[in-house]
Amino acid sequence: QSIRTHATPDGDEWVLNGSKIFITNGIHADLVIVAAITDPGKGAKGTSLFLVDAHAPGFEKSRKIDKIGQHTSDTALLFFNDVRLPAEALLGDENSGFIIMMNELPRERLGIAAQAIAASEGALDITLQYVQEREAFGQKIGQFQNTRFKLADVKTEITLNRAFYEQCARQYAEGRLTADTAAMLKLASCEMQCRVADQCLQLFGGYGYTAEYPISRFYVDARIQTIYGGSSEIMRELVARSILGR
């Protein structure tokens, strides 16, 4: 409903105007898929998808957005000023863009969940190494009951989420993964990732708050996971609709 980019027919071509924000890999992309309104009177059902050459006249890229985390993935604003597209640039049928995008959401959320679980496992690995080397009050901090219990909780959460992920991956491979199940997976795994990163950083003490120690990167990289690909609030609403209706 918030799409402001429009594509209007002009003979055997389309003319694209508008902009997009927070586009992952927007700086490096040579080809982008753009969702644009082609029939304003139909709302979401008037959306179409177009394949757009990043070198086409009228296509402009902003500077790379300076994020607090995930620095290896560039994020950009894209601008379309009277970009002329051939008829064959239309991806799928006209006005079918919304349906195509909705059908892809479970796969996207499955991928984000995989990131969340793998990153959580990585954070746990480096924390386990640290607590078995770092000493405080005459003993390794991994020997303190608080440390042991915290890491036991972290390991349990990761194991449960991985089991759910593997179940969802099988369902996706069999064409059975539903939107609400994918939403539950993304919600659970990404919220877990943030908790795990926070708990692990805490065990590093002040060192965890420095860029010198990689746990700080796990921490800042985790924060976006509950926002992009559908925020945790949206995931909760999707799950609620599946059990309570709209």
Side-chain angles (χ1 to χ4, degrees):
Q1 295 179 350
S2 62
I3 293 177
R4 296 291 182 267
T5 302
H6 288 74
T8 55
D10 184 17
D12 58 354
E13 293 183 317
W14 292 90
V15 180
L16 187 66
N17 281 284
S19 61
K20 299 291 182 179
I21 192 170
F22 298 131
I23 304 303
T24 302
N25 296 326
I27 296 293
H28 290 97
D30 291 315
L31 186 70
V32 298
I33 298 175
V34 178
I37 298 297
T38 46
D39 190 337
K42 292 185 177 180
K45 294 181 179 179
T47 304
S48 300
L49 300 181
F50 295 89
L51 288 170
V52 182
D53 186 334
H55 305 289
F59 188 151
E60 299 178 15
K61 300 178 180 181
S62 75
R63 61 174 176 78
K64 180 179 177 181
I65 295 174
D66 188 15
K67 309 189 301 291
I68 65 171
Q70 297 207 3
H71 296 141
T72 57
S73 174
D74 75 78
T75 307
L77 286 83
L78 306 180
F79 300 94
F80 310 97
N81 300 300
D82 290 330
V83 178
R84 302 194 72 86
L85 304 172
E88 56 267 25
L90 179 65
L91 184 63
D93 295 328
E94 185 177 341
N95 297 328
S96 67
F98 180 75
I99 295 174
I100 294 173
M101 290 188 289
M102 291 302 101
N103 288 338
E104 288 298 313
L105 286 178
R107 181 166 68 101
E108 178 191 32
R109 288 163 184 166
L110 187 68
I112 293 174
Q115 286 180 262
I117 295 165
S120 297
E121 291 173 340
L124 175 59
D125 287 345
I126 63 172
T127 304
L128 287 172
Q129 180 180 351
Y130 180 79
V131 300
Q132 292 176 84
E133 296 173 352
R134 174 71 171 166
E135 290 190 3
F137 305 106
Q139 62 180 320
K140 299 288 193 298
I141 62 174
Q143 295 176 305
F144 291 109
Q145 186 182 67
N146 177 71
T147 302
R148 298 169 69 85
F149 282 10
K150 290 289 186 184
L151 292 178
D153 288 343
V154 165
K155 177 64 175 179
T156 300
E157 277 208 86
I158 293 173
T159 301
L160 290 172
N161 274 272
R162 175 168 279 280
F164 186 26
Y165 170 81
E166 290 175 355
Q167 173 185 311
C168 290
R170 285 193 298 271
Q171 290 178 354
Y172 177 77
E174 296 167 358
R176 298 188 296 110
L177 181 61
T178 62
D180 56 296
T181 300
M184 285 189 282
L185 175 65
K186 183 186 184 297
L187 173 64
S189 60
C190 293
E191 291 287 339
M192 173 207 67
Q193 181 186 358
C194 289
R195 289 193 299 272
V196 166
D198 184 68
Q199 293 285 359
C200 288
L201 186 146
Q202 186 72 18
L203 294 175
F204 278 77
Y207 290 113
Y209 199 64
T210 67
E212 180 181 353
Y213 282 73
I215 190 62
S216 62
R217 181 172 173 181
F218 279 94
Y219 183 79
V220 295
D221 283 355
R223 190 60 188 86
I224 190 62
Q225 291 279 87
T226 60
I227 298 173
Y228 68 6
S231 68
S232 288
E233 291 76 16
I234 294 296
M235 297 303 99
R236 290 186 176 97
E237 176 60 24
L238 292 175
V239 176
R241 287 180 185 179
S242 73
I243 56 178
L244 296 171
R246 289 177 178 269

